[in-house]
């Protein structure tokens, strides 16, 4: 079973906010107590925090799903729900937090450094908080919102001042054991070291840490062996020490060839931008100060090989040390050389002014609406998608089983200006409107605006109220029509008066009473019915 894990995929989710409460105050002799429903509690956050006692990500390898507690629901008598507890996840010093696509979210260096990996959801408002002069007794409350849920990648990059690089079985683990109190596993076969080893070295007044990269071979930058997987642990180092095996038994290897291969792999390796110096720049590994340690000089062949290659290495500008991790020969001089480089790097870091990122203030624009509407097409029918933090959050807070809550949502959207924007984009009653992305709420739009504003969806000049504006009669035409109506009425009265005089009518026209016409003798009784 693995005992050291330096990269895990963690699934984190904040707690869900508690729902608001719908309640009416009840007390003797007070029949109209008013709403007293409390607010729901906020969900808990998931926070990553550096802990010096944590040295591996093994716990998250076995349990990668972490969820904070939910907020409690609101209660009557104005009692709010309990907020969810914050979930603190301890991580080692030097942990880099990334998204699934590789974007660096945080670089946690130093005891107590924190990063909010997943924020908890907001609690819903109770009906007491929703009451107003116009809405004195709301019969609904807002729902709690789910917390953030996402996948993050945790990568551990050891905090070391000096990095030991070299071929397998070059003696890196033996060197750490000889110079510090660390006791890594040491054996006489390749790839003995499967995890990065750290050791603390004291040279004079300077104390520093050293680390090794296990299994660095040719092709490591392309993923061969173990080196590419662990090269991230030396990205924070101030200097490199090439540990060259002068007593190798392989005939096709020599210290100069090993050095050339390792240098080529370091040059191909791209340092992550998650760690930078005080000036904000990242120095490649092959451009940092380097020392060369010719190991295993306690062997006769190793001593001869070291004396043979040393002039060539010094001519290239390297500081060369002949050492033996077994007999401790030359370790004191190598330790002081390491301390000198570390002390110079720390002094330069302290002298350089810290690069402080100035805060970016982005005031809200005057004409910013807080949402946007994107017109789409689905099944050859228009579709309008409303996007924005407020509309999406309001939809999540709405209880769609309560008609009053739906009306409150409609009022909020109208006040925000969603309906006006839909009119501007040509939406008509019955069109499909979606609030949110793919999993948003879908409904058929019915305008709630008054005074015939729903007729204004067409462009100016094509409104149905102005469709017949060219056929309206003039004043002269209206006068002629009035004269014709008067003449027609006079002719009708004259005709009725003539009928009265002829005996058909018994009274004048103004009496409105008529006489029954005289029956013809030839009519039967059936014709009277």
């Amino acid at each position: 079973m693995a005992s050291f894990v330096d990269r895990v995929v963690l699934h984190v989710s904040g707690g869900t906010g508690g729902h608001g409460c719908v309640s009416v105050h009840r007390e003797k002799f007070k029949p109209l107590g008013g709403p007293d429903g409390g607010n729901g509690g906020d969900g808990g956050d998931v926070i990553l925090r550096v802990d010096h006692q944590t040295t591996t990500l093994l716990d998250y390898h076995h349990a990668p799903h972490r969820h904070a507690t939910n907020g409690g629901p609101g209660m009557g008598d104005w009692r709010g729900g309990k907020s969810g507890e914050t979930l603190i996840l301890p991580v080692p010093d030097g942990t880099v937090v990334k998204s699934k696509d590789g974007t660096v979210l945080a670089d946690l260096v130093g005891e107590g450094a924190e990063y909010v990996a997943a924020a908890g959801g907001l609690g819903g408002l109770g009906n007491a908080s929703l009451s107003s002069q116009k809405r004195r007794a709301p019969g609904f409350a807002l729902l709690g919102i789910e917390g953030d849920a996402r996948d993050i990648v945790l990568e551990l990059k050891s905090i070391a001042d000096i990095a030991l690089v070299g071929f397998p079985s070059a003696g890196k683990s033996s060197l750490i054991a000889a110079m510090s109190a660390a006791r890594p596993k040491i054996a006489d076969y390749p790839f003995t070291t499967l995890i990065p080893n750290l050791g603390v070295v004291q040279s004079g007044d300077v104390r520093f840490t050293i680390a090794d990269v296990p299994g660095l071979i040719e092709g490591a930058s392309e993923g061969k062996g173990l080196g590419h997987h662990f090269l991230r642990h030396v990205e924070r180092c101030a200097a490199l020490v090439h540990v060259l095996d002068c007593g190798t038994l392989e005939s096709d290897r020599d210290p100069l060839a090993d050095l050339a291969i390792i240098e080529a792999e370091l040059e191909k390796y791209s340092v992550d931008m998650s760690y930078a110096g005080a000036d904000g720049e990242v120095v490649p590994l092959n451009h940092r100060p380097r020392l060369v340690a010719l190991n295993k000089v306690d062997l006769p062949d190793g001593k001869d090989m070291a004396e043979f290659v040393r002039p060539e290495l010094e001519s290239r500008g390297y500081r060369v040390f002949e050492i033996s991790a077994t007999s401790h020969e030359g370790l004191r001089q190598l330790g002081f050389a390491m301390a000198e480089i570390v002390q110079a790097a720390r002094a330069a870091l302290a002298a350089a002014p810290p690069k402080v990122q100035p805060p970016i203030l982005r005031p809200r624009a005057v004409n910013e609406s807080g949402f946007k509407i994107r017109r789409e097409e689905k099944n050859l029918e228009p579709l309008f998608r409303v996007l924005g933090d407020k509309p999406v959050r309001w939809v999540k807070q709405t209880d769609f089983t309560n008609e009053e809550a739906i009306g409150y949502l409609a009022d909020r959207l109208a006040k925000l200006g969603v309906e006006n924007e839909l009119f501007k984009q040509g939406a008509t009653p019955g069109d499909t409107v979606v609030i949110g992305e793919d999993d948003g709420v879908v409904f058929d739009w019915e305008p709630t605006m008054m005074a015939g504003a729903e007729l204004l969806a067409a462009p100016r000049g094509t409104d149905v109220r102005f469709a017949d504006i060219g056929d309206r009669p003039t004043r002269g035409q209206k006068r002629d029509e009035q004269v014709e109506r008067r003449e027609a009425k006079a002719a009708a009265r004259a005709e009725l008066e003539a009928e009265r005089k002829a005996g058909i009518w018994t009274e004048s026209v103004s009496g409105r009473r008529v006489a029954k016409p005289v029956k013809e003798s030839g009519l039967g009784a059936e014709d009277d019915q």
Side-chain angles (χ1 to χ4, degrees):
M1 182 178 64
S3 60
F4 179 84
V5 177
D6 62 347
R7 187 183 187 278
V8 295
V9 178
L10 192 62
H11 312 274
V12 292
S13 57
T16 302
H19 299 331
C21 177
V22 181
S23 175
V24 179
H25 183 68
R26 292 177 175 83
E27 188 176 349
K28 191 175 182 180
F29 306 118
K30 291 184 179 180
L32 302 177
D36 65 346
N39 302 333
D42 296 336
D45 300 335
V46 179
I47 298 179
L48 304 177
R49 179 181 297 173
V50 174
D51 183 9
H52 69 278
Q53 295 183 351
T54 304
T55 59
T56 180
L57 302 175
L58 182 62
D59 293 341
Y60 308 123
H61 173 72
H62 295 303
H65 297 268
R66 300 301 174 101
H67 178 74
T69 56
N70 301 329
M75 296 170 284
D77 200 15
W78 300 280
R79 292 176 297 173
K82 182 181 179 181
S83 298
E85 297 182 359
T86 300
L87 178 61
I88 304 296
L89 302 180
V91 295
D93 191 6
T95 300
V96 178
V97 186
K98 297 182 179 181
S99 61
K100 292 284 288 187
D101 57 358
T103 303
V104 177
L105 303 176
D107 188 8
L108 303 179
V109 178
E111 180 70 18
E114 293 183 352
Y115 173 70
V116 180
L122 297 176
L125 298 180
N127 63 342
S129 299
L130 296 174
S131 62
S132 61
Q133 292 183 352
K134 296 183 179 180
R135 188 183 292 105
R136 296 185 178 274
F140 68 97
L142 298 184
L143 305 179
I145 302 178
E146 295 182 354
D148 296 338
R150 58 176 175 171
D151 298 338
I152 58 176
V153 179
L154 303 183
E155 291 185 355
L156 176 59
K157 297 183 179 181
S158 303
I159 307 298
D161 299 304
I162 301 294
L164 305 181
V165 294
F167 266 68
S169 300
K172 300 184 296 298
S173 299
S174 301
L175 182 59
I176 290 180
M179 300 185 66
S180 67
R183 292 296 176 263
K185 181 180 179 180
I186 301 174
D188 57 353
Y189 55 87
F191 296 105
T192 304
T193 304
L194 300 178
I195 63 174
N197 295 313
L198 292 177
V200 180
V201 180
Q202 182 76 34
S203 294
D205 298 334
V206 182
R207 176 176 293 182
F208 56 92
T209 58
I210 58 178
D212 70 78
V213 181
L216 189 60
I217 61 175
E218 185 176 4
S221 60
E222 300 174 357
K224 296 181 179 180
L226 302 176
H228 181 266
H229 182 64
F230 291 107
L231 273 176
R232 70 172 70 98
H233 292 278
V234 299
E235 289 185 357
R236 304 179 190 273
C237 65
L240 300 175
V241 175
H242 287 280
V243 181
L244 303 180
D245 187 2
C246 292
T248 178
L249 300 178
E250 301 179 18
S251 58
D252 57 343
R253 285 181 51 193
D254 63 84
L256 295 179
D258 292 352
L259 178 62
I261 293 174
I262 299 301
E263 286 284 344
E265 296 302 322
L266 295 177
E267 185 176 359
K268 295 177 183 178
Y269 182 76
S270 178
V271 180
D272 199 337
M273 293 298 296
S274 61
Y275 178 75
D279 56 354
E281 300 294 334
V282 177
V283 181
L285 294 179
N286 60 330
H287 291 172
R288 301 181 187 184
R290 286 162 291 175
L291 304 176
V292 174
L294 300 176
N295 194 19
K296 302 181 181 180
V297 296
D298 55 315
L299 302 177
D301 295 340
K303 185 66 174 179
D304 297 339
M305 180 63 72
E307 293 179 353
F308 176 76
V309 300
R310 180 167 187 167
E312 177 63 22
L313 295 174
E314 290 179 345
S315 63
R316 299 180 184 180
Y318 293 104
R319 295 180 60 183
V320 183
F321 298 87
E322 298 180 6
I323 64 170
S324 172
T326 303
S327 63
H328 293 194
E329 179 182 349
L331 297 186
R332 180 178 176 85
Q333 293 79 0
L334 178 60
F336 279 112
M338 294 180 182
E340 180 182 351
I341 296 177
V342 172
Q343 193 171 12
R346 293 175 180 176
L349 183 62
K355 185 177 181 180
V356 179
Q357 185 71 20
I360 301 177
L361 302 179
R362 294 186 176 91
R364 179 179 175 180
V366 177
N367 58 348
E368 183 179 354
S369 60
F371 69 95
K372 63 178 181 180
I373 298 179
R374 185 175 66 222
R375 181 163 183 168
E376 303 175 0
E377 185 175 327
K378 184 177 182 180
N379 298 330
L380 301 179
E381 295 292 336
L383 182 145
F384 298 88
R385 189 177 299 276
V386 182
L387 302 175
D389 294 338
K390 286 185 178 181
V392 173
R393 184 175 72 250
W394 292 348
V395 167
K396 294 180 179 179
Q397 292 176 327
T398 302
D399 180 10
F400 287 94
T401 61
N402 189 309
E403 295 183 357
E404 190 176 354
I406 298 176
Y408 180 69
L409 172 63
D411 294 341
R412 300 175 83 178
L413 294 176
K415 186 177 180 180
L416 187 63
V418 174
E419 289 198 348
N420 292 335
E421 186 64 23
L422 287 173
F423 275 122
K424 292 180 181 179
Q425 296 200 16
T428 58
D431 287 345
T432 303
V433 177
V434 182
I435 299 181
E437 290 295 346
D438 297 336
D439 56 348
V441 177
V442 183
F443 60 93
D444 295 333
W445 182 53
E446 293 295 339
T448 59
M449 306 184 73
M450 304 298 294
E454 64 276 5
L455 300 176
L456 300 179
R460 183 178 297 276
T462 61
D463 196 297
V464 295
R465 293 175 294 182
F466 306 112
D468 299 331
I469 190 172
D471 299 335
R472 291 182 179 180
T474 63
R475 291 184 178 181
Q477 292 174 346
K478 290 182 178 180
R479 285 194 298 266
D480 296 340
E481 291 177 359
Q482 188 176 10
V483 173
E484 292 178 359
R485 286 194 298 268
R486 289 178 181 177
E487 293 179 352
K489 289 181 180 179
R493 289 191 182 96
E495 183 179 357
L496 292 176
E497 184 64 20
E499 292 178 355
R500 186 188 67 80
K501 291 180 179 181
I504 299 177
W505 299 90
T506 59
E507 296 183 2
S508 63
V509 178
S510 59
R512 300 289 181 184
R513 298 177 64 183
V514 298
K516 294 183 179 181
V518 179
K519 296 183 175 59
E520 299 289 340
S521 59
L523 295 177
E526 293 82 358
D527 297 329
D528 294 330
Q529 297 178 357

